[in-house]
Structures are given as C-alpha cells and as structure tokens.
Amino acid sequence: MRRARPTLVVVALALLLVGPTPARAIGPSSEVAFVLASADGQPLAAVWLRLFREVATSLSEVTSIPVRPDLREVPMQALAAAGVPLVVVPIDRVPAADASAIAQVLRPFLSTGGTVWFVNGAVWNTRDAVNEWVRRVVEAVRPRLALTAVPAEAVVYRSFFNLKGAEVGQLEGARIDGRWAILHAPGWTASEQRSVGGARRRLAVNVVEYALCGDYKDEQTHLDYLLKRRKWKLD
Amino acid sequence: METSTTLWNLGLDPATPLGLLGVLLLAALAGLGAWNVARLAGRRTRWAAGLLHAGVVLLLASAVLDPVRTTRAEIPREPETLVLVDDSASMGLPCRSTSTRAEAAEEAASALARKLPSARFVDLDGAPISPSAPVPTRRPRSPLLDRLEAWVTNGIDGRIPDRVVLVSDLQDQGSRLAPERLERLAHLLAARRRPVVYAIDLSDRASGPDAAVSDLRFDAVAFYRNVTSAVVEVTLREVDAPSMHVEFGTDGAWSQSQEVPLVAGQTRYEVRFRYRPDQSGPMVLGARVSLPAGVRETNAANNVRLAEQRVLRDRLRVLHLAGHPSWDVRFLRDALKADGTIDLISFYVMVKPSAFFAEDLEDTVLIPFPTHTLFDEELPGFDLLVFQNFRFGSFDTDQYAERIVDYVKAGGATLVVGGELTFLAEMLPRSPLKELFPVRIPDLKTWHDYFDLGEFRPRVTSAGLRHPIFADGEMPADLEGTLARLPALEGANLQGCPAPSATVLLEHPRARTECGPLPLLTTADLGDGRVALVGTDSLWRWAFVPAEPDPEHLHRTLVGNLVRWLTRDPTLSPFELQIEPPAATGAPIHVRARLARPSDGEPATWALRITEWGQTERAAPEVVRSAEPDFSWQPPRDGLYWLELEKRDEGTHVRQTRPILVQSDPGELLEPSPLRDVLLHLVQASGGSITLPERVEALELPALDDRAVTRVETSHPFSSAWVLAALLALLAGQWYLRSAHGH
C-alpha cells in the first residue's frame, strides 16, 4: 500500500484540479443510508446512534460513497418497506420478538440481496443469551443455515481498511448465495465504545463497503494474475 | 500378309471315358472280325475278307472318334495405343519454349496423332479428345497414377491397351500419399508388359524459382479473444535470395508479417504467428509469401493460402468501472457475476479525492487505478466496458479517449450507466468520448440541469418492444405489467436528443428533451461495435424487491440481454444468417435469414451487402421485402467476402455479418514440383521410355510380337454320306464272302 502512495497523490491532485465532486446519487434512495433496525421495536440507545453517526461521518469524509447524514430507525417488521439493502441491528438485551418471526421478515430481504448486521451490545451477563437469540434467528431463515466464524482472510476485513481480526473482535456470519449476507458482531458492549471505538468504526466502514462491493477486493488484488491466467495478456 | 495353318484333332477324345469306351468297342469289333476272317476257307478269301474288315474298322473308328480339321488365317495386329493428354491446372504454368505447358502438350499431341493415326486420345477422365484441340487446364489435380492403375488393372472400355502414352508434366500429388500403390503398379507392369508406358515429359520445361505456402496449420477451434497461433509452412524451389517475406492475417487484413532469412539448401520453413480472434463464428485466416523484388517466380498461384477457423466464445471479459460504490453498482455487479459466461474485472473509485492525505488511509487496501494497463495494454482483450456513474476524464481516461472509441469502432462495446458523475466532466462535449453516448451530451449550466429527481416508472417504446433486448424470450411476457408491479425508479440523468442512428428502448413518462421524451435506455451501433446508455442510477430498485420479490428477475434478465446484445451474442439476434454452400462448383450460394421466433414473420426490409476482401468501398446492398428472405449470390471469383445482412424494421436495424471463403481446390498448384522419378520407375518397369516433346517424331514404339486372327475354318471330313455308303459296301462284301465261303 505504501508503495502506491505517490500514485494516489498524483491521482488525488488530478481529481482536485477538475473540481470537487458532489458525493451524492441522483435520487435520495440511491444514497447510502444507515438504517438501524430495532429487534423489539424499542428506541435504540443513544450510544448506538452516536457510533453510527460517526461511522456515517467517516464514510462521508474518507470514502467516495454518498451517505445520507441522518440515521433512520425502523422496527424489524418494517425492514422490507425501508427499501435499503443494508440494515444494522444493534441489540442490548434479548429481544422479546420471536426468532422465527424475525427470520420470516429477513428471508425475502436476504434472498433479494439484502445484508443484515447484528451487533450484540449486551453486557456480560446477557451477552450469551443475545448471541443465542441471533443464532436462532439465523437458523430459522433457511434450513442448514448457521452462524460460523468469519475467517481472518475474508474480504470483509479488508474491503476498505486492512483490519486485523484481533483489533475488532471476531465476526460471525452466514453465507447466502456466496456472500456473507448475515454478519454478527457478538461482543460490542456499549460501555467499551470509548476504548475500541476507532476499530469498531473502521469495521463498520468495511461492512458498508462489503455490502456495496461484495468480493470486489478479492478480485481486484489479483488483477495481474487473472489477466495472465485467462490468457488476456500476450506474454 | 495373311498366313494360314491347318490343325487336326479328334472330336471324341480317347482320353475321356466315352472316348475310351469307343476305342474299346472298336478294338473288340476288330478282334471279333479278325477271328471270323480266320475261320474262312481259302487263303485268297481270307485276304479279301481281312481287307474288307480292316476297311470297316477304319471307317467305324473315323465315325466314332470324329477327326476335325481346323484352318486358321492370321495377319499382324495393329497395337491399341491410348494417348493421355494431361488437362490439369499445372499445365497452365509457364515453360520456356511455349507460354504454357498446355500449349506444349497440344503440339506433342498433334505430332503423336500424325505418328499414330489409330491412337485414341483421352483426357484425365478417359473421355475422348481431339489431338489438335487446345488443352484446357481446369482440373485442380492430376490423377495420373489413378488412371494408369485403372487401365493396367481393368482396361478401358473392357480392354487393356497395348500402349499408353502420357503427355504430361508428370505431376500427381496422389503418388506422394501412396508409395506402396506405386510399387504394386510397377510390379504389375513388369509382370504383364502390357500396356507399355511411354511419357512425353513436359516437366523439365518448368524450371525457375517458386515460393509456395504449402500448408497453414492451426487449431480447428479457437476461442474468442484468447491468444492462439498458426503455423505457415513455406516450400521453396530454386530460390536464390537472402530472405522471404511471410504475411499473416485474419478476416481480410494482413495484420502481421515476418522477414525470414533463408538458409542455403533448406527448402521448407515454418513460420509461427500469434493472434487473438476478435469475433466469434467462422473466421478466415490467410498466409502470403513473397520473394524479394527482382526474383521472378514461375508460379504466383501458390503464394497465398486461405483457410477457415471456428471461433467459439469462451467467456465474456467485462471491465466494470464505477465512480463510487453504490447500490446500483452492487446490483449490477451481482447480475454480471451471476452470469457464468462472464469474467468480470472491476475498478471502483473507493476514496474521496479530498481524503487522500487523511491519516485514516494509511491502513487501507486501496490500489492505484491501473489506467495504462487497462486502456493501453489490455483494452482489446475486453468484450465490454461498463462505465457506471464514472466521471470521464478522471484517472487520465481523457488521454485514452481516442483509443477507447477506436476499440468500440473495431468491434468492442461500452455500457454507460447514469449517475451524478456521468455527464459531469466539462471536457465531455469536446472529447471523442462523446461518441460512446448514443445521445447528445446535454448543455449543463446549473446543477438542476443535470437531473430529474422524481420517481417514475419507465415506458417501453414501440421500438424497444421489437428490440432484441426486450423481444428476447427470457423477458417477461407482460413487460408493461411487470414494470407496473416493480418499484418505481428515482432520479434520471437529463440528456440531449438521441443520435439519429440510436434506438430508444425505455423513456421517461414525464421528463422530456427538446425532441421528445427523456431517453432512459438508448442503444446504437458505433462502427463495428455497440454502445448503450442507461440514464438513471436507480435500476437496482428492480433487483432489490424484498416486499414482493420479482419471480421474473427483470433486472438480471435486462442486464444479461444488454450484455448479450452489446457483445453481439448471436443467440439474441432475431434471425440467424444462414449460408448454404454451392451445390456444385460454379453454382450460386444461397443466403437466408431464419427467424428466431416464427411469430416475428411479418414482412420486413432486408438488405444484403457483400464486400470482397481488399475492397475499400462498400458494395451497394441488394434490398428485398420479405418475411424470411432467400438471396442467391454468384461469387465472381475465388476469394474472401463479407456478407452483411440487415433487417430494417421500423426504428430498429439488426445486422449480422459473416465472412465466407470461396476457394476452389488449390490442388497441385500449391506445390507444382514434378514427380519425374516416380513416373520413370513405372515407365521402365513396363518396358517403355520417357522422351521430350520435341523428340516425339523420333519416339520409338516397337511393333508388338502379336498377330490378329482374321479367319478360322473347321470341317469333319468323315462325317459324310460317302463314308456311310463305303461302310455299307464293305459290310455287303463281307456278307457275300461269308455266305459264299463261310461255314
């Protein structure tokens, strides 16, 4: 990466010369909006709103993604109506909602390309129960679907920032149609936000980039290999 | 002079059982008669009776054994001579004393006709010809040995000739292929000594330098845009030059060449060329050899060789460039990746330009945009470039503007998908890149000139309904109903009027340009390539429909059909161009269009344009109005032609092109080196000889030791009434003697 810096600088200067780019899509719905879904319909804690505002700010400041500055809160039952393919579900306590009812909402959302990210912010004595609830939801979405550890080499850890798993904590997930359609951060206690906030913000950026680009980074880093393997290059 | 001979033999062979029985009966009769004679009184009487008995026995023996007299009259036989005059293509080659070998053959045949008035003159088919007629050179190959073998084995018209005289340049490529057959023929000729083979050898007159493309080797199947190679085999004869120039090309253009240094004594060279097929279907390969100026070749007919290769599509190579990640990018990417026939390479601008110096970027995985690699080195390898919400001019793309446009005009394709960046570059109206837009670039003054921000449901135009993208069977049958059911789109790029050659498939229900509804999906041909423009960045809303999933997957089908149409996938064409080869040499070629869907069988205007390799001006098309046209075309000469069939419907033009190679059998002209030694071997085995045409008068054709029988007479001298009368008289005498002097 460091070797590429001079080129990036040249490119940046070139872009600055042609003027600032309005980072927004044509229509509001094509901008990336942070939709926070409440599993049990209760208002979300302020710490979550603060965290994801910071994430939205990071996305706006650093990435090229047009992001709506305001957060949207929706109940899980209204997921489909939100019309946004990425939904974050912060959970502080075991939701009262039935796991199978949530799975029923998630099923068409996921099968048409949506990504859901459960964030377990419960304190230590209820954390396992929340994790168990998330597992039940995932298993109810499809037969034989289950949460597994997202491996360290997965593209979500390097879809924008090059993250080490140890910094951000282990991610779990379930793959649908070849992508991690369900992600789960099992230990994001809200009280730890101050100490590990930077790392979590970066992971959130990566999750948004992953939802938008899929395995793009896997493909791109192997460009030269792909060109040669497919004989596009005249050796 | 007639001579005759007389032979005697017996009608009843004593060696046969019947003959033996006859002889035994005669012997018994003779013995019984002798015993009776011995019993007569008087010596004189016994002598007289003995003589009579001997006479009876002799006459009976002649009657039983039936002696036959045969008289044969004979005269010397005139040998049956067959003169074969070679009428193959190589006889058209030049020689020293006459302009062609055929003229030399004609002179030799006339001389032979004077020398052998009874000889039959035939061509290579065995058909009679006049010895004084000009010798045609229409036959691509000389089946000399085939003919000779047939005449030696089975004869001609049921008779094996006594002599065969070949008037030929002694060239037969078949003999190279079957040496064992030659040996068998030589053995047969040596054993029979009939026919005796003579040859009037025209081959020694054909000398001089010659370079021939003797073979063009390549894989039967190549893959679209995959590098492959072909080997050009060149054979040289009597060439004294430092080098030769070998060219190679595909589909009508000599695109590569190599200067090959020549090595003394080496006559065969192999030159390898690598190339990348740039269209699927049949492709014509060509190889051409030429010698340095000043070297005059005897045969220029073998300097070029053309062949046809099948090119299959392997996978489509799609380059996807996006101005930034977005849901529209994500779902377009999903649709492209879901297509198993697509190899996707993507580059998205991931970082905000103003953030390049941010500390946060230290730990990113960003890589530089490989502008040079993509637009200089690898551009021809892509089937389709997708510019999605891409700001033209960024990343030095303006430097490659002409190259990108040339790539499309040479058969490539681009899909421009709208967004807030698409028309943003101020350089666009002045850049060659504007050709990638099938609409006029809008004159944008304020931010509000760029977009219509409202929601809308696009309308399919009448031309769109007929266009292959929407007329394809994979599309929903009730397209309007599906569009009404799917979520509305939001936000459209304001654009100028569609280009005159463009087809608008989808249009905005409210927003307008100065010349009509705002186009939302527009397609056009650009040179040999194709371009398309989607004027919104919200097409993804047709893909992400969690409230009511779309069972018909309109978004995915639309993207797939767009890619197929842009890359000229023949399966998306409303018709298939069919070329029926000529039934016989010189017969016309039939060009037909077979409709993919019989329901499309409304009469339409069809235009067939045929252009020959190397012609700079396009020929005028032949235009008919029909449901399924059937054109008949007579190629004026051998060569490579481009057939371009266009269906002109109201508002839509669909075109298909195919190369067609019209090539007579190049036959022996590819390598016209005579096989004198082979023929000499056969001639000597038969007892004949080879001579030069100017010595035909002196050619010695020895008379055959053979005579023809003109008359045969047979007679049975002992099968007559006189013999019977004599027998009866002798028996009467015997009866008298016995009755007068017997017991």
Side-chain angles (χ1 to χ4, degrees), chain B residues 515-530:
Chain B
C515 46
L518 177 69
L520 292 169
L521 174 57
T522 315
T523 62
D525 285 353
L526 178 58
D528 290 335
R530 287 176 169 173

Side-chain angles (χ1 to χ4, degrees), chain A residues 24 29 64 113 162 219 232, chain B residues 276 317 346 349 363 420 490:
Chain A
R24 49 172 311 198
S29 71
S64 58
N162 194 12
E219 167 200 310
W232 298 11
Chain B
R276 180 155 42 189
R317 291 88 188 269
S346 312
V349 179
D363 294 325
E420 79 280 3
E490 184 187 51

Side-chain angles (χ1 to χ4, degrees), chain A residues 47-111:
Chain A
V47 65
W48 293 121
L49 301 178
R50 191 167 60 243
L51 169 64
F52 284 101
R53 275 201 194 95
E54 287 175 13
V55 173
T57 305
S58 283
L59 282 165
S60 292
E61 288 177 349
V62 180
T63 74
S64 58
I65 301 172
V67 184
R68 290 170 67 107
D70 53 321
L71 301 182
R72 289 172 63 192
E73 281 186 68
V74 297
M76 279 293 273
Q77 302 296 345
L79 209 58
V84 177
L86 172 65
V87 169
V88 184
V89 187
I91 309 174
D92 295 320
R93 55 189 175 276
V94 179
D98 181 46
S100 60
I102 299 295
Q104 196 173 350
V105 174
L106 283 177
R107 209 168 290 134
F109 176 82
L110 297 170
S111 65

Side-chain angles (χ1 to χ4, degrees), chain A residues 62-207:
Chain A
V62 180
T63 74
S64 58
I65 301 172
V67 184
R68 290 170 67 107
D70 53 321
L71 301 182
R72 289 172 63 192
E73 281 186 68
V74 297
M76 279 293 273
Q77 302 296 345
L79 209 58
V84 177
L86 172 65
V87 169
V88 184
V89 187
I91 309 174
D92 295 320
R93 55 189 175 276
V94 179
D98 181 46
S100 60
I102 299 295
Q104 196 173 350
V105 174
L106 283 177
R107 209 168 290 134
F109 176 82
L110 297 170
S111 65
T112 54
T115 304
V116 62
W117 182 25
F118 292 103
V119 182
N120 182 351
V123 293
W124 65 272
N125 58 345
T126 55
R127 181 181 297 167
D128 289 348
V130 170
N131 287 343
E132 182 54 34
W133 182 84
V134 174
R135 279 195 187 86
R136 283 206 308 276
V137 170
V138 172
E139 287 165 8
V141 168
R142 276 189 186 182
R144 293 185 296 280
L145 193 68
L147 283 179
T148 58
V150 177
E153 67 274 13
V155 73
V156 69
Y157 291 122
R158 49 193 165 80
S159 53
F160 190 82
F161 292 109
N162 194 12
L163 302 176
K164 310 291 185 291
E167 295 175 13
V168 295
Q170 180 64 56
L171 268 182
E172 294 179 333
R175 289 173 72 84
I176 294 176
D177 299 335
R179 66 191 180 89
W180 295 101
I182 303 174
L183 291 167
H184 177 220
W188 273 30
T189 309
S191 61
E192 299 169 358
Q193 181 58 31
R194 191 177 301 277
S195 59
V196 293
R200 287 178 178 176
R201 186 168 41 80
R202 289 179 165 212
L203 179 60
V205 169
N206 272 25
V207 169

Side-chain angles (χ1 to χ4, degrees), chain B residues 638-657:
Chain B
D638 281 5
L640 174 63
Y641 298 85
W642 286 101
L643 272 65
E644 179 184 296
L645 182 61
E646 187 175 70
K647 183 185 182 192
R648 298 172 180 172
D649 226 340
E650 190 184 341
T652 55
H653 289 190
V654 183
R655 196 171 62 212
Q656 277 207 30
T657 58

